Amino acid sequence: MSTPTATAEVSMDAIVALCKRRGFIFQSSEIYGGLNGFFDYGPLGVELKKNIRDCWWNDMVRRRDDIVGLESSIIMHPKVWEASGHVAGFTDPLVDCKVSKQRYRADQLFFAAVIVDGQTVGYVSALESENTAGELQEKAETFKRKKAIQGQLAPVVAKDMTEAKPEEIALIPSPATGEPGSLTPPRSFNMMFETYVGALRDASAISYLRPETAQGMFVDFKNVVDTGRVKLPFGIAQIGKSFRNEITPRNFIFRSREFEQMEMEYFIHEDADWDKCHKDWIEWCRQWLLSIGLPESHLSLYSHPKEKLAFYSKGTVDIMFKYPFGVQELWGIAARGNYDLEQHAKHSGVPQVIFDEATKKKFTPHVIEPAVGVDRILLAVLCAGYAEEEVKDEKGNVEKRTVLRLSPRIAPVKVAVLPLLKNKPELVAIAQKLHAKLKRKYAVFYDEGGNIGRRYRRQDEIGTPWCVTIDFETIEKPGATFTLRERDSMQQKRITEAELFALLEEQVY
Ligand code: GAP
C-alpha cells in the first residue's frame, strides 16, 4: 500500500452522512419527522461519547488529589435559578419574521445600510456565516444594480439586529423573504425549559430543567466541604445533561437543546493568585484536548473583551476549535470571583464560607470554572479525524477509503479481530479465543465476513486503530504471531498476543 492522499476538505454533510450510515448519531424521533435540536447516539456514538466522558473523569477527578466528583439532580429548587440569575437573565434576543414565521437570534442576524454617494438607499441582511461582511457587500451591490442607482457605493458596515435603531427595523429585509417590513424588534427570550413539580400546574409548581450543571456544585458546596475532607484549593466536578431552549439550534450537535456538559468548579482562597490559576486551567484544558487527539492546528484561544464580561467576572477565555462551519467555542474557562456562592448565601440564608486557619477568619472562596460540552468535543474529534483518501493497493490500483483518525483513547472499537478465512476452523478457533480474552477489558469487534480488504475498510470508517488478522502464519510458524494492521499508515507487522496487550495497555488509558 502507498501513502494515502487526502481528497477533499471535510464537509459537515460528509460527517452527518457517516454518523447516520455507521450508527454514531441519529436525529431524535426521526420516524415522526425529527425534533429540531435533539439527537440520539447510536451503538458507536454511545461508545465514543462514553470514552470521552471516561477520559475526562479519569484525568479530571480520579488521577488528581484535589478534585472530587458530584452528581446533582437535573431539576433543582426554583430559587437556585433566581439566585444564579438565570430566571432574570438567561435570555437570548429573538427576532421574528411575521410572514415566514421564522425565528432568528438577533445577534446572529446581520444587516447593513446600502449607502450610495453618502445617501442611505436601502438595507440588506444576512445570517451570520464565515463571511457575513462579504455576503452583505455582494447583496448591497446587487441591490444597487437591480434598482439602477447611479453613484459610488460605500463599503458596507455589518451590524447585528441588537444594534438596529427602532426606525431601521421596518426597512431591513427578512432573510427568509428578502423583503422589508416583516421583522419584529428584538425581544428577550428565556432559554430555560419550564416544567411543573407535583400534581398542581400553577405558578407555585414551576421548576426548570437545568441549563448548566455548574449550579449543582455551588449549591452542594457546603455538603462537600463538611463531608469530603477537602482543603483549598479544591474542585468539584460533574458530568451531566443540560437543557436550553435554543432559538436556533444548528450545526448538527454543535448547538442543541439537550446536551451534556462536563464542568468543574475550582475553589481558591480569596487572596489567591486567580490569574495564574486561570491560566493554569486554560493550559490544562488545552493539553487535555491534545491528549484525546485534537490537532493543535485546530485550536486557538479567545479572550472575552472586558466590556462584555458580567460585572462579577474577572476574565473568560474560550478554547476555540476550527469546525468545518467556522472557528467556534469549544471550552469556556471563566474566573467567576465569589459571585455564585455569595448569591446562594444571600438567597438561601445559609453562609457559604470556609474557615481560614491562618487568619482565623471566615471567607467566601473564589472560583475558576472550566466548562465544556461533551457533544461539542465529540463533533470536534469527528471533524478533525475524518478523511477521504485515495490509496493504492498491492496491485497498484487506486481506491478510495474513508477513515476516522480517532485517538485510541476514545475510539469506540479498539481492535477488530479478523480470522483470514471463515471456513478454516483452526483460524476461527484462535480468533474467537483472542476475541474473548480482549473483550474482558476492551471494546473489540469480531468480523469474519467478506474479503480482508473490505473488512479493513469497514474498521477504518469507524475509527478502529488496529485490526488483528489470524492467518496461516499464526498456525504454521512458531511464535504464534498475528498480523497487526495499523489504521492510519495501513502498515502491517507481526505481533504476539503479549505484545498486543502491551500495546493496548500503553495506548488506551
Ligand atoms: N456554567 C457555565 C456554562 O454553562 P456555557 O459557555 O454556557 O457556560 C459551557 O457552556 C459549554 O457547554 C460550552 O463551551 C459548550 O461546549 C457547551 N454548550 C453550551 N451550550 C450548548 C448547546 N446548546 N449545545 C451543545 N453544547 C453546548
Side-chain angles (χ1 to χ4, degrees), residues 211-212 214 244 246 253-257 259 261 263 265 329-332 369 371-373 375-376:
E212 61 172 23
R244 296 183 188 179
E246 297 279 358
I253 54 170
F254 177 82
R255 179 173 290 117
S256 46
R257 290 178 165 140
F259 56 100
Q261 288 186 307
E263 296 196 279
E265 306 301 329
E329 173 189 338
L330 174 57
W331 200 332
E369 176 193 74
V372 68
D375 314 78
R376 279 198 193 173

Side-chain angles (χ1 to χ4, degrees), residues 332-391:
I333 301 108
R336 297 181 59 87
N338 61 7
Y339 175 77
D340 304 271
L341 287 180
E342 294 257 302
Q343 282 294 101
H344 286 301
K346 202 163 100 193
H347 282 75
S348 68
V350 181
Q352 301 294 313
V353 288
I354 252 180
F355 183 70
D356 186 347
E357 289 291 345
T359 60
K360 306 288 178 212
K361 277 204 279 196
K362 289 180 178 167
F363 68 95
T364 310
H366 288 222
V367 77
I368 307 289
E369 176 193 74
V372 68
V374 184
D375 314 78
R376 279 198 193 173
I377 296 179
L378 193 142
L379 184 58
V381 296
L382 289 177
C383 294
Y386 183 94
E388 287 168 20
E389 296 176 342
E390 284 186 344
V391 293

